[in-house]
Structure formats: structure tokens, C-alpha cells
Amino acid sequence: MKRTHSNLNALFDPRTVAVLGASRDPSKIGHLVFRYMLDSEAKLFPVNPSAGEILGHRCYPSLMSIPEDVDMAVLALPASATSQAVRECVNKGVKAIVCLASGFGETGSEGKRLEEEIKKMLASAPPERRPRFLGPNTLGVYVPRRRIETIFTSRERNPRPGPGGIAFISQSGATAVCIMEAAAAVGVGFSAFVGIGNKLDVDENELLDYFAADPETSTIIMYLESFKDGRAFLESCRRIVPKKPVIVLKAGRSESGAKAAALHTGSLAGSDRVADGALVQARVFRAYDEEELVDLARALDHGRPFTGGRVAILTTAGGMGVIAADLLESSDRGVGLKLAPLSETGRAKLRSLLLPFASANNPVDVTANASNDHYAAALEVLESEPDVDAILCVMQFQSPFVDERLMGIVTDWFHRGEKSIVVTSIGGELSQRALKNLTESGVPAYPSIWRGVRAISALYKRGVWASANSKR
């Protein structure tokens, strides 16, 4: 099968879309998908032989009765009706098919037989008219900038993320929806989401190459339970990683996890030791849970990679500085980096600018009596320190003399300074609001010290890898 990016464009930027199984019943998947797609600029054709119109749009009795070419067909149909629908798509010359139904290879021999039947139908089409097939057992695609959406969970209950630079490829649709809802809550944006489901045709390798070439994508994250072609995946990663970071959450590491993956998507998880070694060789970041997957993406998508590994800690809470120091320097319960030594000139400046009882050493503790101005002055000194490669800002709002203007100060230094900056803030409503504000401004910001330290470590690894690559 000829595989080009232009084939996949019909999934992410279709001009015309037919929804087979579109429904007037708001509780039906076919209704939700059609309603959500109405927000896009694509021309829509609801297909249902029993309905005259849906949401004010004329309904067509069959795909073949649509008088125009169709770029993408969304199959909101049961598995038993899929083969006939795919046959019509092939005859119609549809460019891309999204098959939402489950009940295929993940359920046993009858489901696998259905998949083989679909493969034969797709293969029967001339290469130049052969549709691309996404799924089955998928939520399809979500492209925030173009408002393309086939996800059939309620977006009123499960808000989607807004536009951003992260492309998300997932073998589990429901897991992806949970991750995206959590990401939306903290202000993380996505360029696209695509669920690959059972990977009957379109797989992670093609999509990896697609998003590598996508100018709206700057970071690629993946949830995978198996590799369609592990060797091809690593070859793609070796080409892509120097230009865009790739982060993979590879599930099915344990014996029980592998069995669960086989039941979930019908896939074989393979040896985790082999997968782990290969990911390291390809310089792919590996995440071990959904939180780490998005945390690393947030850091790598906007943060500034650095080399040297010397970090300054700026805090209004002395204890927080101690915790951060331990996590930064410890090799077994931390990330094994170093606290940056501050110059005598820098310490003298800090002593002159900060309160008399503040610490001018690293961690720099401006104390709970510090104001926004004290924090800003300390940031300026650290930015000028020659041995500081990165700054961990522990930004606490419990101090009575700092307020939300501190967000603007940190954001300003993040964008105009030369050091890599990561922010943490531990607390309630005000801290959560500040973290979201910072994230939406492109600043990596986290609700715990450990997550901030882990982000610093990822930026250091990225910087070291980039430096090594440039010397080859």
C-alpha cells in the first residue's frame, strides 16, 4: 500500500466528511460525532436511511447518494455493519475512514475474521484510490485548531485541550480522553490527537513521520501497548528526535499488564527489556505513567534544554529549598544533578538586595517575608550567574507580601532570560490558578517539587543529547 502524508491529510484536514450512522438521538454516538463536527469548516453529510434531516442538515440514505466527493467517512456503526460500509467507501473513492466500533480483533476469532475481511476490501481498491483506515476500536481524531473531532465522549463533561504544540498518538482512546481532560485543566494545548486502536492500517510509525513533518507540532507523545514494527519505529525516532522530542508511555511491562494489553487491543506487548533498551538508544523519553507523559511534554515543548547540569533553587520557603536540593542531587531518590555554586559577586548582590535574614547561598531563600520585588531581584542575579545553567523557581503564595503579579515577573524572565526556568507552586486555589496561567504562557509549571525537578532533568537530558548530536 502506498503510504504518503497526503493520504493522512484527509484525516486531519478533510474538506468533506460523511458520518455514517448519524443520528437524531442525542444519546447516540452518531449524534455526538455529527454535532461536534459541525464546529469544523468541513462540509458535512449525515448518512442514515431512516432520517430525513439531522440538526438541520439533509440526511442521505447512503454514502453513494452523496453528490460530492468525500474526503473522510466516519463509521458510527456497529462492527457487524462495518464491512458493508467499507465496501461503499472503496466504491465511492473516500480518502480516509475512521472506524469507531469495537468488537474486532480484540474480542477473538470472529473479530479477527472481520478485520481480515476489511483488509481484503481495502486491498481490492486501486492504489491511487485506496482509502486509509483508522481503527477499528478507536475514538478517531481531534484537531483543535480546525475543530475536527470524532471523539464520542461528552465534551461538556470531559473538556478537550485547546490548540498547542503537542501531538498525541494513543493506542487507547479512553485513556487518551482522560489524559487530555487532565491536560486541559492545567492549560496544556495539543496540535492533534489520534487514536490508532487496533492498527488495522494506519499505525504509530506513519503517524510519527506525519507529525514530524507537521509545522504545528513541536513535541510528540505516545501511549502504546505494542509496536507494529519496532525496527521501523526506532529508525523513525532516530531521524525525528534531533528535531522534535518524542515521549513514549509503553504499557504492558509486567506479565499481568501484557495480558491486559492483549485483551484491550488484541496486541502483544513484547519484551519490555528490549523495548526499554531500544528507546534509550533512540533517545526517546520514556514515561511510566500518564502524569509523567504530559509533564515531560510540557517541559520539552516550551522549556529551554541546557547542558552543564548546575541548577539554582529560588524559594520563599526554606524547607522547600531543602527538599528540592535533595531531589536534584540524589542519584537514587532524585535526578543526580548538581546545585550551582554562586559567585562571591552574586552572593554580595543578593545580600544587598534581599532581606537581612535571607539566604544568599544556593538554595536562595528569599524567606516568607519577601515581596515580588525581592523575588524579581533574586531572579535577575541568578540570570547573571555564570555557573548557573537552570533555575528552579519554588513560587509560594503563602507569603503575605507576594501576589499574582509574581506570575508576570517569572514569565517575563522565562521568555527574555537565558537560563532554563521551571516553576513549582504548592498550594490551593491561588497556586493552581498561577500554574495554569504560567502553563498557558508557555512556562513549564508543576504542582509539586518532584515534578518540577523531573522536568529540569528532562531539559538537561535533551540538552546533552542535542549537544552530542551536533558534534557528530
Side-chain angles (χ1 to χ4, degrees):
M1 182 178 291
K2 186 179 180 182
R3 297 172 186 276
T4 66
H5 291 165
S6 61
N7 299 132
L8 296 178
N9 282 341
L11 285 172
F12 300 105
D13 193 16
R15 292 178 300 105
T16 51
V17 177
V19 180
L20 280 68
S23 173
R24 288 179 294 201
D25 184 344
S27 68
K28 300 287 188 183
I29 288 173
H31 181 89
L32 284 177
V33 172
F34 184 71
R35 178 160 68 85
Y36 294 163
M37 284 296 299
L38 285 174
D39 290 344
S40 76
E41 294 182 357
K43 189 171 184 178
L44 298 185
F45 302 98
V47 178
N48 187 328
S50 303
E53 61 86 22
I54 296 176
L55 296 174
H57 287 252
R58 174 193 169 189
C59 201
Y60 292 83
S62 69
L63 182 66
M64 299 306 290
S65 65
I66 296 173
E68 298 185 32
D69 292 340
V70 172
D71 285 347
M72 180 168 80
V74 183
L75 309 187
L77 300 166
S80 58
T82 299
S83 293
Q84 176 60 28
V86 171
R87 183 177 291 109
E88 290 181 14
C89 289
V90 169
N91 292 336
K92 179 71 175 173
V94 170
K95 294 177 182 174
I97 302 169
V98 177
C99 182
L100 303 177
S102 55
F104 289 87
E106 78 279 9
T107 60
S109 57
E110 175 57 21
K112 289 178 181 174
R113 186 194 65 75
L114 278 175
E115 288 190 354
E116 289 304 315
E117 193 172 281
I118 293 168
K119 283 182 184 177
K120 288 178 182 175
M121 285 181 199
L122 296 172
S124 69
E128 67 276 11
R129 289 176 55 83
R130 191 171 296 160
R132 303 311 309 272
F133 189 91
L134 183 64
N137 193 19
T138 178
L139 288 179
V141 294
Y142 172 58
V143 187
R145 283 190 180 86
R146 300 185 185 89
R147 299 183 294 281
I148 300 293
E149 178 173 1
T150 67
I151 296 174
F152 54 80
T153 64
S154 167
R155 65 183 180 192
E156 288 77 21
R157 287 179 54 189
N158 315 118
R160 323 290 195 230
I166 300 170
F168 186 10
I169 303 165
S170 178
Q171 202 167 345
S172 170
T175 300
V177 167
C178 298
I179 291 173
M180 286 195 290
E181 182 181 344
V186 294
V188 178
F190 285 66
S191 61
F193 153 76
V194 54
I196 50 180
N198 292 9
K199 302 191 277 191
L200 188 148
D201 174 30
V202 176
D203 60 41
E204 68 273 15
N205 293 340
E206 275 189 281
L207 293 166
L208 194 57
D209 286 332
Y210 180 85
F211 289 121
D214 176 22
E216 294 174 349
T217 294
S218 46
T219 299
I220 302 168
I221 66 174
M222 311 176 85
Y223 170 82
L224 295 175
E225 295 176 359
S226 66
F227 295 102
K228 184 78 169 280
D229 181 340
R231 189 179 299 276
F233 176 82
L234 292 173
E235 288 173 357
S236 292
C237 285
R238 288 191 181 98
R239 290 195 311 274
I240 296 165
V241 163
K243 300 171 185 173
K244 297 182 181 182
V246 177
I247 306 151
V248 174
L249 171 51
K250 169 64 176 66
R253 292 185 293 123
S254 65
E255 183 178 345
S256 296
K259 287 179 180 176
L263 291 172
H264 180 211
T265 55
S267 57
L268 298 176
S271 166
D272 189 68
R273 185 179 299 176
V274 172
D276 195 57
L279 292 175
V280 170
Q281 285 183 24
R283 293 179 172 172
V284 172
F285 285 89
R286 182 167 189 178
Y288 288 90
D289 60 37
E290 75 291 344
E291 180 182 88
E292 188 176 17
L293 182 70
V294 177
D295 277 0
L296 295 182
R298 296 160 66 182
L300 296 167
D301 198 44
H302 293 291
R304 184 174 295 131
F306 65 97
T307 58
R310 300 164 301 184
V311 182
I313 300 167
L314 174 57
T315 179
T316 55
M320 297 288 188
V322 178
I323 295 169
D326 285 343
L327 292 171
L328 277 166
E329 290 207 333
S330 174
S331 296
D332 57 342
R333 301 299 295 267
V335 297
L337 297 179
K338 295 294 181 186
L339 261 61
L342 303 185
S343 68
E344 180 50 43
T345 302
R347 291 200 301 273
K349 284 183 181 176
L350 288 170
R351 283 192 291 270
S352 69
L353 295 168
L354 302 181
L355 295 167
F357 40 87
S359 170
N361 296 307
N362 188 12
V364 177
D365 178 10
V366 292
T367 80
N369 289 319
S371 65
N372 292 341
D373 291 340
H374 291 125
Y375 208 93
L379 259 179
E380 183 168 6
V381 172
L382 293 177
E383 277 284 345
S384 66
E385 278 294 285
D387 292 330
V388 170
D389 301 307
I391 303 169
L392 179 67
C393 292
V394 181
M395 193 174 73
Q396 294 305 124
F397 288 99
Q398 289 80 8
S399 169
F401 307 110
V402 300
D403 56 34
E404 293 185 70
R405 287 175 293 178
L406 188 54
M407 290 183 277
I409 293 168
V410 173
T411 301
D412 180 55
W413 274 111
F414 176 83
H415 290 295
R416 74 182 173 96
E418 296 182 351
K419 313 292 187 185
S420 183
I421 293 178
V422 169
V423 177
T424 69
S425 186
I426 294 90
E429 184 178 338
L430 180 53
S431 286
Q432 300 306 314
R433 189 164 64 243
L435 291 170
K436 185 174 183 182
N437 180 294
L438 289 165
T439 300
E440 290 173 341
S441 300
V443 181
Y446 302 91
S448 80
I449 294 174
W450 166 238
R451 292 168 67 179
V453 166
R454 193 168 57 185
I456 287 261
S457 176
L459 290 168
Y460 171 65
K461 286 181 182 174
R462 180 75 179 162
V464 170
W465 290 348
S467 176
N469 190 62
S470 68
K471 294 174 182 174
R472 288 180 179 174

